[in-house]
């Protein structure tokens, strides 16, 4: 995981590897693809089966009682008591270490039994089928991305409604008939091959695109001609956390990759757990074999660093971005391509790296390219500016930096894009809502405010030489609007280019409010609340509370078909708590929820839950919490710390073993947010909240009532090579043993189950039917556990 893949500037190909909340936006109307070429800045949309020996019969009881009369017989997982680790003198057992091997027969048997258990549970959830049918109907609406330009052509993604993957179209003009350029649905029979990275050459003759299989982060890059849609022979393998950036001579492109794994040809890519090390930058010449690619940069002294490249909009320079981990800091080097005596061709067949010049050589701030005029570069940075600012430097005088646009006193400068030659379109985040402005590129002066409703700018598509920009917008009650804004006149001419309509959805039936909830230390935490109009605050409503809280990732308003369905037909109040650890208020907000202060995230989320109860929206037995990836960790920690506060918990692809996460795939990059158990001080932080190591029997504590864990579903997927499945599997085995199977008569009647998706990963690229099926399963489980009834 570098965990984050949402907030990369259009020109900064930073690593996509944070434990991203994978399904935050999985039902959003936009197909916002975070391009690493010079086209689009976007928020990448983010976004069930196990075993029992006898059938389960429904009994819709509430509170601390199970919703089932006959409790399941959980599979008994072998405990290896001999596995004990010494962490700085503290002996920590790890009896399910064997579950870290995804290929062992014992792990496969465990997964199979758990899948049977969950399947038997879900069959008793009466509204599961109805939810699936209604979701399918509601999800069947046309979806579009904002158009982006290359050469003289326009490109956009479109899904007619229920297509597994969105289709890429090309057209000569906005009025011309669009043609299919690439239909990913033809690449597999089941829709599990998805388009990931892509870039169009400067002359729009070639289209380089990366595909991933079964949701894995591994990407294979191929090339096709735009005019006749024919495929070129080029194939580039083992690409990961990469951009694709063409040079302006259209001869090839830069990309990043890892060395091929051992037995790579036999490997089911995405199921391995080995650490990702030695990321390298390459340049590929069109029409040549990958073995002939130029090695542009490597740094074996720092095997955990990642490297990405981006060609500047004038085509003269290539920028190299070096990331140490998931912290929002990076180095920036540059290479003047015009000064290479023999061009890039001169490096063919040599071991010589490209002559990059170090512009920023410290990991003390982030730098995102905005524009350049010859050697004068403009960057967006958080250097001494936790809410970001714009700075300018002449790379021939790299010690002299000038501020173009000062940091705002309150709002976060999320992006800046050069448009209409000497203008900027800038996006601010103001109390978790976007504000758009047009500013002067040279001075930073404000020229115009662009009118927007309260919500989220999901995409900005622009080129500096164009006067037209496209803006994608969404919110909780707006499926999607694509605006086109012409900057040719004195006043920007902004109008609707395309509006996305969901048949049967009437936004006037719902209302959205924003509360600012005091946390344990009195910090005000913003929280959006979405509900049917006229809601009586009598504590009777089912409630779904979502959170993330990490890696500088903000969770702004977004449209989700499944949660609208829950509000309409199950009377569910849907809430998003913008807790610390995210990027909602800049770097300081992020740092306040990481490392030694990670507990703030859990306190914030618990305070949000307590507010919803005290304000009369819900009650503990009807409150479900949900989160994915880092948000899965959030859910796991909160049910350990306050099992009495929740009736149900849905934890997606969570980071659950906080003592060993850094040993698998890209987990070493997350130490910037979490710390690392190899260091004694950081071990002491982690052991306090690690979900795997803090499962306790709540009934052992003195209390006037019997307390148990909420009904819990842990969700993972077999090809998740970001947060590998072992996290969820080990926690599942631990919870079932500690709370259920180790006792003859356990007070834990609420169910503890897991949903393990096949041929899927961390969430990206999941085909539509899998998205619908998973939503139907988890929300049918939630509905039964919190006693929600269907309303027609």
């Amino acid at each position: 995981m570098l965990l984050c893949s949402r907030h990369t500037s259009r020109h900064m190909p930073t690593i996509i590897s944070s434990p991203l909340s994978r399904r935050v936006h999985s039902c959003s109307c936009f197909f916002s693809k975070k391009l690493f070429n010079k086209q689009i800045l976007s928020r990448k949309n983010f976004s069930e089966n196990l075993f029992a020996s006898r059938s389960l019969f429904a009994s819709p009881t509430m509170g601390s009682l199970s919703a089932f009369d006959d409790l399941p017989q959980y599979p008994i997982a072998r405990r290896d008591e001999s596995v004990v680790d010494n962490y700085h003198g503290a002996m920590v057992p790890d009896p399910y270490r064997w579950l870290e091997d995804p290929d062992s027969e014992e792990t496969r048997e465990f997964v199979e039994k758990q899948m049977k258990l969950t399947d038997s549970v879900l069959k008793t959830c009466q509204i599961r089928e109805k939810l699936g049918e209604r979701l399918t109907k509601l999800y069947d609406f046309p979806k579009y991305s904002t158009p982006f330009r290359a050469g003289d052509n326009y490109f956009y993604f479109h899904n007619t409604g229920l297509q597994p993957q969105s289709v890429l179209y090309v057209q000569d003009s906005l009025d011309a008939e669009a043609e299919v350029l690439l239909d990913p649905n033809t690449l597999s029979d089941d829709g599990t091959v998805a388009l990931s990275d892509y870039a169009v050459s400067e002359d729009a003759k070639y289209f380089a695109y990366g595909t991933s299989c079964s949701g894995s982060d591994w990407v294979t890059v191929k090339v096709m001609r735009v005019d006749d849609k024919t495929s070129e022979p080029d194939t580039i393998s083992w690409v990961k956390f990469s951009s694709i950036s063409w040079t302006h001579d259209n001869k090839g492109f830069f990309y990043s990759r890892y060395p091929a794994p051992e037995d790579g040809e036999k490997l089911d890519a995405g199921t391995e757990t080995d650490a990702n090390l030695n990321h390298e930058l390459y340049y590929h010449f069109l029409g040549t074999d990958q073995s002939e690619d130029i090695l542009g940069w490597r740094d074996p002294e720092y095997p955990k660093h990642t490297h990405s490249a981006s060609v500047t909009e004038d085509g003269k320079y290539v920028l190299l971005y070096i990331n140490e981990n998931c912290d929002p800091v990076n180095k920036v080097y540059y290479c003047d391509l015009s000064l290479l005596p023999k061009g890039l061709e001169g490096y063919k067949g040599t071991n010589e790296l490209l002559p990059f010049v170090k512009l920023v050589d410290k990991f003390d701030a982030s730098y995102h390219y905005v524009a350049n005029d010859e050697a004068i570069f403009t960057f967006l940075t958080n250097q001494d500016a936790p809410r970001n600012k714009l700075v300018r430097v002449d790379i021939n005088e790299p010690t002299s930096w000038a501020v173009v646009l000062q940091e705002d006193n309150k709002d976060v400068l999320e992006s800046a894009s050069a448009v209409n030659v000497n203008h900027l379109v800038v996006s601010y985040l103001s109390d978790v809502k976007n504000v758009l402005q047009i500013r002067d590129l040279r001075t930073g002066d404000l020229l115009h405010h662009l009118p927007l409703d309260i919500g989220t700018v999901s995409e900005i598509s622009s080129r500096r030489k164009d006067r037209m920009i496209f803006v994608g917008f969404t919110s909780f009650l707006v499926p999607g609007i694509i605006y086109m804004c012409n900057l040719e006149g004195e006043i920007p001419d902004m109008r609707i280019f395309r509006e996305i309509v969901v048949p049967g959805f009437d936004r006037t039936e719902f209302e959205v409010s924003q509360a600012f909830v005091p946390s344990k230390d009195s910090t005000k935490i913003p929280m959006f609340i979405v509900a049917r109009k006229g809601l009586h605050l009598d504590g009777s409503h089912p409630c779904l509370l979502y959170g993330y809280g990490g890696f500088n990732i903000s969770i702004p308003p977004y449209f989700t078909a499944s949660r609208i369905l829950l509000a309409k037909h199950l009377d569910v109040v849907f809430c998003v708590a913008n807790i610390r650890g995210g990027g909602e208020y800049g770097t300081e907000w992020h740092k306040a929820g990481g490392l030694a202060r990670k507990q703030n995230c859990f306190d914030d989320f618990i305070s949000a839950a307590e507010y919803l109860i005290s304000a009369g929206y819900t009650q503990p037995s009807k409150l479900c919490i949900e989160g994915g990836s880092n948000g899965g960790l959030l859910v796991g920690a909160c049910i350990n710390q306050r099992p009495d506060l929740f009736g149900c918990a849905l934890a997606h692809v969570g980071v659950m073993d906080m003592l060993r996460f850094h040993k698998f795939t890209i987990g070493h990059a997350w130490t910037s947010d979490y710390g690392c158990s190899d260091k004694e001080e950081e071990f002491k932080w982690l052991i306090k909240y690690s979900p795997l190591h803090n499962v306790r029997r709540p009934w052992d504590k003195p209390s006037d009532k019997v307390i148990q864990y909420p009904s819990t579903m842990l969700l993972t997927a077999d090809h998740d090579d970001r947060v590998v499945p072992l996290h969820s599997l080990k926690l599942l085995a631990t919870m079932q043993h500690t709370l259920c199977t180790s006792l003859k008569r356990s007070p834990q009647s609420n169910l503890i189950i897991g949903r393990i998706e096949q041929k899927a990963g961390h969430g990206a690229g999941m085909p539509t039917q899998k998205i619908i099926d998973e939503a139907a399963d988890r929300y049918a489980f939630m509905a039964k556990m919190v006693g929600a009834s269907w309303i027609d």
Side-chain angles (χ1 to χ4, degrees), residues 181-317:
L181 177 59
L182 180 65
D183 183 356
N185 301 298
T186 64
L187 303 179
S188 64
D189 293 332
D190 57 4
T192 57
V193 174
L195 190 62
S196 53
D197 306 312
Y198 55 85
V200 182
S201 63
E202 182 69 13
D203 60 5
K205 289 184 177 180
Y206 296 100
F207 176 64
Y209 63 96
T211 58
S212 62
C213 296
S214 301
S216 169
D217 281 331
W218 288 115
V219 170
T220 300
V221 177
K222 294 181 178 293
V223 180
M224 66 185 299
R225 296 182 65 91
V226 174
D227 54 359
D228 58 9
K229 321 299 187 291
T230 58
S231 297
E232 295 292 308
D234 307 65
T235 298
I236 301 171
S237 303
W238 304 113
V239 176
K240 202 179 217 187
F241 310 138
S242 175
S243 59
I244 299 173
S245 189
W246 288 84
T247 47
H248 285 207
D249 58 9
N250 308 297
K251 292 181 178 180
F253 50 83
F254 290 96
Y255 70 94
S256 307
R257 58 163 291 181
Y258 287 101
E262 293 184 14
D263 300 322
E265 294 182 1
K266 301 178 182 178
L267 183 68
D268 184 6
T271 62
E272 77 287 350
T273 62
D274 299 333
N276 298 142
L277 300 172
N278 298 305
H279 204 233
E280 298 170 335
L281 175 70
Y282 284 88
Y283 183 83
H284 175 75
F285 281 98
L286 202 59
T288 64
D289 189 82
Q290 184 176 4
S291 62
E292 301 175 36
D293 290 355
I294 293 171
L295 177 60
W297 191 260
R298 73 191 317 174
D299 194 349
E301 186 177 352
Y302 299 100
K304 295 179 181 179
H305 288 183
T306 55
H307 311 92
S308 296
S310 178
V311 176
T312 55
E313 194 153 8
D314 62 1
K316 184 177 181 180
Y317 300 91

Side-chain angles (χ1 to χ4, degrees), residues 748-762:
Q748 182 65 36
S749 56
N750 289 337
L751 295 177
I752 309 294
I753 62 173
R755 187 186 190 279
I756 305 163
E757 184 63 73
Q758 306 298 298
K759 297 191 72 176
H762 201 58

Side-chain angles (χ1 to χ4, degrees), residues 294-482:
I294 293 171
L295 177 60
W297 191 260
R298 73 191 317 174
D299 194 349
E301 186 177 352
Y302 299 100
K304 295 179 181 179
H305 288 183
T306 55
H307 311 92
S308 296
S310 178
V311 176
T312 55
E313 194 153 8
D314 62 1
K316 184 177 181 180
Y317 300 91
V318 57
L319 300 179
L320 170 65
Y321 296 93
I322 303 174
N323 289 80
E324 186 178 27
N325 45 44
C326 284
D327 214 24
V329 299
N330 60 276
K331 295 180 179 181
V332 181
Y333 300 170
Y334 68 89
C335 176
D336 188 337
L337 297 174
S338 68
L339 296 181
L340 301 181
K342 298 180 181 179
L344 289 168
E345 289 91 341
Y347 290 83
K348 283 186 176 181
T350 73
N351 294 322
E352 188 178 354
L353 302 180
L354 294 182
F356 282 100
V357 179
K358 298 176 180 180
L359 178 62
V360 178
D361 198 32
K362 293 181 180 179
F363 290 119
D364 61 358
S366 67
Y367 294 86
H368 296 218
Y369 170 85
V370 175
N372 73 291
D373 291 294
E374 294 295 334
I376 310 298
F377 278 72
T378 302
F379 289 95
L380 186 152
T381 182
N382 60 8
Q383 175 66 51
D384 298 323
R387 289 174 298 280
N388 300 332
K389 64 185 178 183
L390 296 184
V391 294
R392 185 164 294 146
V393 64
D394 183 338
I395 60 175
N396 296 317
E397 299 178 14
T399 60
S400 179
W401 294 70
V403 176
V404 179
L405 177 58
Q406 293 282 0
E407 174 189 26
D408 190 81
N409 291 329
K410 180 176 180 290
D411 298 341
V412 180
L413 177 59
E414 285 203 315
S415 70
S417 307
V419 298
N420 197 30
V421 184
N422 286 315
H423 287 162
L424 288 169
V425 55
V426 300
S427 177
Y428 282 97
L429 192 64
S430 177
D431 282 332
V432 207
K433 303 172 287 288
N434 277 127
V435 175
L436 272 186
Q437 301 173 350
I438 301 297
R439 288 182 174 267
D440 188 291
L441 173 59
R442 293 161 296 186
T443 65
D445 292 343
L446 176 64
L447 302 177
H448 306 285
H449 289 280
L450 296 183
L452 282 180
D453 200 351
I454 294 175
T456 301
V457 173
S458 57
E459 297 178 280
I460 299 174
S461 171
S462 65
R463 294 188 300 188
R464 185 173 179 181
K465 63 184 178 182
D466 293 337
R467 63 177 183 269
M468 184 74 71
I469 64 174
F470 294 91
V471 177
F473 176 84
T474 185
S475 73
F476 291 116
L477 302 181
V478 177
I481 298 174
I482 299 170

Side-chain angles (χ1 to χ4, degrees), residues 772-784:
I772 292 172
D773 291 344
E774 187 197 76
D777 284 356
R778 72 182 190 265
Y779 291 139
F781 176 77
M782 177 201 75
K784 183 150 193 166

